[in-house]
Amino acid sequence: MKLFAIGAFAVATLAAGTASAQAQAQQPAPLTHGPVLAGVCMYSPQALITNSTAGRSLATGLQRLGEEVRGELAPYAATLETEATALQQGGQAADPDGSRGRAWQTRLQEAQQLEETRTNELRYTERLQTQTIVNAARPIITALYQEKGCSILLDGGSVLAVNPQMDLTEAAIQRLNQALPSLPQFTRSAVPVQPQQ
């Protein structure tokens, strides 16, 4: 039973950003960069999400929602565990006709379905809130691209090293922090029902 996987989801979202920051912190001695290449720029969308104040508010909000869901699911887990123990210890005498076992199995399936629904809601909420940040960052990146006279914009996730003068990420984070200091308080969003085909 994976009733506590949701907490791991929120923590994993937060940890992914932390692991990325730790990997950057464990780089070897500073590199000596070559000259700035005119028209070549780099931007890291993941670093923007991880390091911006809006991105941190996203991680905090997802952690809060994960804790709420864990609190919602914990009673189901406790009840199911107690009933399973009673059925195991009581043996055949505790459930002569098998009805308690079938009822337990039904409650387990309901709890698993609820957990799956909540996990999907958290993922959908994360996508919606991330899109809010991306939408706010898009005009900032466009403006920086034009200001720096870029002809090509490389994804920072695919670049091992770059001359810092060619990296738009820090400037984008600073501007995003001003434009979108944090996400408004958000709640879990229901996943829209897909029409049957």
Side-chain angles (χ1 to χ4, degrees):
M1 186 164 65
K2 58 177 186 152
L3 285 175
F4 293 100
I6 290 173
F9 169 76
V11 171
T13 300
L14 187 58
T18 303
S20 173
Q22 288 174 347
Q24 291 174 359
Q26 297 174 357
Q27 291 181 350
L31 299 173
T32 304
H33 299 287
V36 172
L37 299 176
V40 178
C41 300
M42 193 271 303
Y43 159 68
S44 174
Q46 183 59 44
L48 179 106
I49 299 287
T50 301
N51 299 321
S52 67
T53 55
R56 288 193 296 268
S57 73
L58 170 62
T60 300
L62 290 173
Q63 185 174 12
R64 175 183 48 82
L65 292 177
E67 289 169 5
E68 288 175 10
V69 169
R70 277 194 312 279
E72 178 185 1
L73 296 176
Y76 290 95
T79 301
L80 287 166
E81 188 174 323
T82 300
E83 181 68 11
T85 301
L87 286 169
Q88 287 173 351
Q89 291 176 348
Q92 182 68 27
D95 190 16
D97 64 354
S99 60
R100 275 181 74 186
R102 287 189 298 278
W104 181 87
Q105 188 66 37
T106 299
R107 287 193 303 277
L108 174 64
Q109 290 170 348
E110 290 168 353
Q112 289 171 332
Q113 180 61 45
L114 179 61
E115 178 186 23
E116 182 179 337
T117 298
R118 295 298 182 255
T119 299
N120 290 336
E121 289 171 350
L122 287 174
R123 286 186 181 131
Y124 183 68
T125 301
E126 180 183 24
R127 281 196 308 271
L128 289 177
Q129 297 304 319
T130 299
Q131 192 59 48
T132 299
I133 296 171
V134 168
N135 290 343
R138 189 170 287 125
I140 292 169
I141 300 305
T142 301
L144 286 167
Y145 182 88
Q146 293 171 347
E147 289 169 23
K148 296 283 188 176
C150 301
S151 296
I152 185 170
L153 184 61
L154 302 174
D155 182 339
S158 302
V159 176
L160 295 177
V162 68
N163 185 314
Q165 294 176 7
M166 297 165 54
D167 189 350
L168 306 179
T169 308
E170 189 56 40
I173 290 170
Q174 290 173 5
R175 290 186 188 184
L176 180 63
N177 287 348
Q178 292 173 351
L180 185 65
S182 71
L183 293 172
Q185 177 95 7
F186 57 90
T187 59
R188 212 173 48 240
S189 299
V191 180
V193 177
Q194 299 296 322
Q196 297 291 331
Q197 294 183 357

